[in-house]
Amino acid sequence: MTSTLYRHGVIHSPADPFAEALLVEDGVVAWLGADDTADGMVSRADEVVDLDGALVAPGFVDAHVHVLETGLALESVDLSAAGGVRSLADALDAVHRAAAGRPASDVPLLGFGWDELEWPEGRAPTRAELDAAAGGAPVYLARVDVHSAVVSSALARSAGLDVLPGWSDDGRVERDAHHAAREAARTMSPGRRTALYRRALQHVASRGIVSVHEQSAPFIDTREGLAELLAMTASATDGLPHLVGYRGERCVTVDDARAVLAAIPGLTGIGGDLNVDGSLGSHTAALRAPYADDPSSDGVLYLTAEEICNHITAVTRAGVHGGFHVIGDRAMDEVLLGLRAAADVEGVEAIARAGHRLEHAEMVDAPTLAALVLLGVRLSVQPAFDAAWGGEQSMYATRLGAGRAAALNPLADLAAAGVPLAFGSDAPVTPADPWAGVRAAIRHTAVEQRISARAAFRASTRGGWRLAGLDHTGAGELRVGAPAHLAVWRAEHLAVQAPDGRLSTWSTDARAGTPLLPDLSEDAPDPVCLRTVRDGVVVFDALV
């Protein structure tokens, strides 16, 4: 393996906050220190990189990703505001253009990212409108949360959606009907599937991400697909980011859990997107009180406390992590009932030691927080959700009312309680953009729930290794002996966050010894990734 010396820059390392150079040898950090000392390291290096003031920092870990769907979204019709779609009419025009530009085929036309609450019409496309826009072609358009979609008549017929729970005659699908629609939309050759995996992983590498936690499930991808992903990312020499595998299959007994582990070598956990409920945007998150904009509904509960208890007991005995997708407060109540029941069987210490995790966990009140701490639960959360849907005039406020909405995603409360946190994107629900997640955490719409840039960066780097049980390797920090998982960034200004939440430029208190980060104030430009390195191997390179 080659060695690389990075010099004339800024190294983000608590071990040496003022380091300007770093040497990578045999996949680990071999040395870091001052630039004048780096002169003596030049002869040891196969490559010398002049950073020209760039920042070398621990690589990001995205703790919640759907690789196949991210690949599909990158090749599909972008129906988000970022893609230029700002109305229902824009969305139908985009579908029409895409359908007109492709040959007649039974392969569905895919679109991702629409949000009717952002459109002046205030509603989703109908099946009839999709039929007209696409000329009768099969169409699947996922809502931004990917917990519901609208489909054309051709897709509904081919997949038999109209007899399944969650079907609406206007083409809206959720629950079982949505799962079947997603399955139909993912029909593809093995070669195309592999190409989509690679495209998604190369995309996240370009964002400074060195590891992703793949949240696979039967309605998202296959067991074989997850096994392929784990195999193709097993070694850095293949030029792809590291991947931690979770499979969302419910287990009743320990034999069930062992069967899943045998079928998917290298699996870290059985859970992840094992859904206890749905999403707020699709009115399927399970709530204690009805939705503010739909008093007839309090969401959907997919798993009972008994089923949760059985699953946690089974995976604990199998020696792996369990976990669940949980968003609504009623769903969280059910999770805690199940966890407590499992603790009665296995013992609190065994449950806490197992490292079970929850995904999203957006509604956490004080009693819930106390129970999570007692049971040693770890949380994988998405600060970008607050940036996208938080605030007084937001989807959260529309769905829940201002009072409940203001209490969502309580990052500061979770951090203060010592709950192990890792940040992710839930890509393609929000983009795989880790700096956007850090910004969202330090600029939370509820001021009292903002956390420091340092804490947010740590949850976006070391936090992911910790939730996967891999932090014992030293991953997530740049220090001698740690794996060389890093990213190089061009940032206009580097800074230390001031105590009042402002960011000062290119300065630090020597007594504090605080490593620098890019200036993340509201008007600061985004850092640009120049190189991403996993175990010393370059997996993305834009250095010139």
Side-chain angles (χ1 to χ4, degrees), residues 165-525:
W167 164 260
S168 298
D169 285 340
D170 61 0
R172 181 73 175 255
V173 289
E174 59 183 46
R175 293 178 287 155
D176 293 2
H178 183 224
H179 294 169
R182 290 170 90 173
E183 194 70 39
R186 295 197 315 270
T187 301
M188 65 188 72
S189 68
R192 173 163 161 73
R193 184 180 298 264
T194 300
L196 288 168
Y197 288 156
R198 287 195 171 274
R199 177 165 184 182
L201 291 168
Q202 289 165 351
H203 172 72
V204 301
S206 74
R207 302 303 182 94
I209 297 169
V210 298
S211 179
V212 296
H213 293 194
E214 161 67 356
Q215 305 293 338
S216 178
F219 53 88
I220 297 174
D221 202 351
T222 62
R223 283 184 176 185
E224 295 77 14
L226 179 54
E228 180 183 352
L229 272 171
L230 286 164
M232 68 194 293
T233 57
S235 170
T237 56
D238 289 332
L240 296 172
H242 176 269
L243 186 137
V244 177
Y246 289 88
R247 181 68 179 174
E249 294 190 27
R250 184 169 65 87
C251 300
V252 178
T253 69
V254 67
D255 288 338
D256 294 337
R258 288 170 178 158
V260 175
L261 293 173
I264 311 173
L267 197 63
T268 294
I270 306 175
D273 257 22
L274 182 54
N275 289 3
V276 179
D277 65 345
S279 74
L280 293 168
S282 292
H283 288 104
T284 51
L287 305 178
R288 294 171 184 162
Y291 283 88
D293 60 344
D294 184 3
S296 67
S297 173
D298 59 3
V300 183
L301 200 61
Y302 297 137
L303 295 178
T304 66
E306 180 180 3
E307 292 169 326
I308 293 164
C309 172
N310 289 339
H311 180 79
I312 288 293
T313 300
V315 299
T316 299
R317 291 180 179 179
V320 294
H321 305 160
F324 303 94
H325 161 116
V326 53
I327 287 183
D329 46 10
R330 180 161 62 100
M332 183 64 82
D333 291 344
E334 203 75 12
V335 168
L336 291 180
L337 283 172
L339 282 168
R340 288 187 179 111
D344 288 342
V345 175
E346 302 296 315
V348 172
E349 290 186 2
I351 296 299
R353 190 168 53 247
H356 301 307
R357 55 188 277 177
L358 301 180
E359 309 298 318
H360 315 312
E362 294 196 77
M363 303 182 79
V364 178
D365 57 18
T368 297
L369 178 55
L372 293 175
V373 172
L374 175 65
L375 294 166
V377 176
R378 306 174 179 192
L379 299 185
S380 163
V381 299
Q382 292 70 43
F385 285 8
D386 178 74
W389 304 309
E392 295 180 359
Q393 306 294 324
S394 67
M395 182 273 284
Y396 287 157
T398 299
R399 292 286 188 262
L400 300 177
R404 282 188 292 177
L408 290 183
N409 301 299
L411 300 182
D413 290 348
L414 296 172
V419 175
L421 291 177
F423 289 172
S425 64
D426 198 10
V429 174
T430 63
D433 183 352
W435 286 119
V438 174
R439 283 182 189 268
I442 67 176
R443 305 192 67 81
H444 197 292
T445 53
V447 175
E448 68 276 10
Q449 294 302 337
R450 293 176 178 175
I451 63 175
S452 70
R454 186 179 183 186
F457 183 74
R458 190 174 181 85
S460 303
T461 52
R462 190 174 182 183
W465 299 110
R466 183 180 185 185
L467 259 64
L470 298 172
D471 54 326
H472 64 278
T473 65
E477 289 189 348
L478 297 182
R479 56 178 177 79
V480 173
H485 302 314
L486 58 87
V488 180
W489 300 93
R490 176 71 61 203
E492 188 169 310
H493 298 291
L494 298 179
V496 171
Q497 192 174 30
D500 63 358
R502 294 175 299 174
L503 291 165
S504 59
T505 58
W506 197 262
S507 64
T508 186
D509 185 339
R511 294 168 297 177
T514 303
L516 296 170
L517 287 171
D519 182 343
L520 298 174
S521 54
E522 191 170 7
D523 56 351

Side-chain angles (χ1 to χ4, degrees), residues 15-109:
D16 186 348
F18 308 108
E20 302 161 305
L22 176 144
L23 179 68
V24 174
E25 287 183 332
D26 297 327
V28 302
V29 177
W31 171 87
L32 62 138
D35 239 342
D36 53 4
T37 311
D39 292 338
M41 302 290 170
V42 172
S43 62
R44 291 173 56 178
D46 298 301
E47 178 189 21
V48 178
V49 175
D50 186 343
L51 294 168
D52 189 27
L55 173 71
V56 179
F60 284 109
V61 179
D62 193 319
H64 192 117
V65 166
H66 304 290
V67 174
L68 179 59
E69 290 195 329
T70 298
L72 285 168
L74 290 169
E75 294 191 355
S76 301
V77 182
D78 186 351
L79 299 175
S80 69
V85 174
R86 302 184 183 279
S87 67
L88 171 60
D90 287 348
L92 293 172
D93 285 345
V95 170
H96 178 71
R97 290 193 303 272
R102 68 202 295 261
S105 171
D106 292 334
V107 176
L109 172 65

